[in-house]
Amino acid sequence: MATKKEENISFENALLRLEEILRVLEKGSAPLDDSLKMFEEGVNLVRLCNNKLDNAEQKIKILIKNQDGNYDEQDFTKTE
């Protein structure tokens, strides 16, 4: 579960932190306890990013011009 600090982080900053964690873990030089904490933080950040992407996808609308020249909004996921 994401901490309050993680919940307030932007998507872009979460990705930057994930990249930082990945670099440290790939080196394999961090102590085991630190590695486990970073791994847990990374898992939480991945969940946070996925949630942010899911929320963004739900907000995306495509405007489609109808026969009257007006635009109708349609959910992004319902388009063909």
Side-chain angles (χ1 to χ4, degrees):
M1 181 165 203
T3 65
K4 288 290 181 189
K5 181 180 177 183
E6 289 171 343
E7 288 175 357
N8 293 327
I9 193 171
S10 71
F11 178 81
E12 293 78 10
N13 286 336
L15 284 181
L16 289 173
R17 178 63 181 145
L18 278 169
E19 290 172 356
E20 181 181 327
I21 290 170
L22 182 59
R23 281 192 297 275
V24 172
L25 292 177
E26 283 180 335
K27 286 182 184 178
S29 59
L32 179 60
D33 287 342
D34 292 344
S35 294
L36 288 172
K37 286 177 186 176
M38 284 187 282
F39 181 79
E40 182 179 4
E41 180 185 358
V43 168
N44 288 333
L45 288 170
V46 167
R47 287 183 185 140
L48 178 87
C49 287
N50 283 333
N51 287 337
K52 287 183 180 282
L53 286 173
D54 289 343
N55 289 336
E57 183 179 3
Q58 291 173 6
K59 292 179 182 179
I60 293 174
K61 301 286 184 181
I62 295 178
L63 293 174
I64 299 175
K65 197 171 192 176
N66 64 23
Q67 293 176 345
D68 299 332
N70 297 318
Y71 291 92
D72 296 326
E73 288 186 3
Q74 184 174 353
D75 289 339
F76 178 74
T77 55
K78 293 183 181 178
T79 60
E80 296 179 65

